[in-house]
Amino acid sequence: NKVFDEPPVYQPPNVTATMTIADLKAMHTFGGYEQITTDDVIEGSVVANDSSGNYYKSIVIQDATGGILVNLDDYNLYTSYPVGRKVYVKLKGLYIDDYNRLIEISGGTDGIGGFNGIASPLIDQYVIKGELGNFVAPKVVTVAQLDDSYQNTLIQLDNFEFSATD
């Protein structure tokens, strides 16, 4: 008759989004960067992480208005930010920039024209983990419909295949 401790009951974070991902992306001018000076927060569900090796030191989050890449200077992010986890990003002090026209959130400039991820010791200060199981359904689109509005969002292409050389 052993008595085992039960894990603590999950308490969601006391954080509320103040803007959408689309609102945040609308603040950006391509080719430049903006430091966020307001106390805004975005929320989204993780739709991509570094588990497959396709992303490096970053996660992608998506809400109903769009998706955005979040640069994090750490490894094995899939263990803390699995696909389907809701996250809240406190934006004050972070940067919005673009890499090859792909808008992203970064921790700062590197001084030579690039951007660094949010430093590992500071990640929990900016990226707040929410509940698990918030899977995003992919939007079914055709190749002809693809444009920049689908960047960093989960999509599905039906009746489509890549050639073996690609």
Side-chain angles (χ1 to χ4, degrees), residues 98-111:
D98 61 89
Y99 179 73
N100 289 332
R101 295 197 50 85
L102 185 68
I103 299 174
E104 58 188 16
I105 299 171
S106 298
T109 63
D110 65 5

Side-chain angles (χ1 to χ4, degrees), residues 111-125:
I112 55 172
F115 292 87
N116 296 323
I118 300 169
S120 183
L122 301 177
I123 290 174
D124 289 340
Q125 175 183 326

Side-chain angles (χ1 to χ4, degrees), residues 13-146:
N14 188 17
V15 181
T16 304
T18 59
M19 70 181 346
T20 66
I21 291 174
D23 293 337
L24 175 65
K25 290 169 80 171
M27 295 169 50
H28 179 64
T29 303
F30 281 100
Y33 62 91
E34 296 80 26
Q35 184 175 25
I36 303 161
T37 58
T38 58
D39 285 321
D40 286 310
V41 176
I42 59 170
E43 102 180 50
S45 295
V46 176
V47 294
N49 56 29
D50 60 356
S51 71
S52 67
N54 290 326
Y55 286 88
Y56 179 68
K57 293 186 173 186
S58 60
I59 61 173
V60 177
I61 63 171
Q62 180 177 339
D63 68 8
T65 67
I68 194 163
L69 185 135
V70 183
N71 282 319
L72 303 172
D73 192 17
D74 208 353
Y75 301 98
N76 300 320
L77 296 168
Y78 66 93
T79 60
S80 296
Y81 305 99
V83 170
R85 167 161 262 164
K86 183 173 281 192
V87 296
Y88 302 86
V89 182
K90 294 181 177 181
L91 299 169
K92 187 172 186 174
L94 299 180
Y95 289 80
I96 312 168
D97 63 270
D98 61 89
Y99 179 73
N100 289 332
R101 295 197 50 85
L102 185 68
I103 299 174
E104 58 188 16
I105 299 171
S106 298
T109 63
D110 65 5
I112 55 172
F115 292 87
N116 296 323
I118 300 169
S120 183
L122 301 177
I123 290 174
D124 289 340
Q125 175 183 326
Y126 290 104
V127 183
I128 311 302
K129 298 174 193 143
E131 63 272 5
L132 299 168
N134 296 292
F135 295 100
V136 175
K139 183 171 184 176
V140 179
V141 296
T142 65
V143 173
Q145 292 174 308
L146 292 178

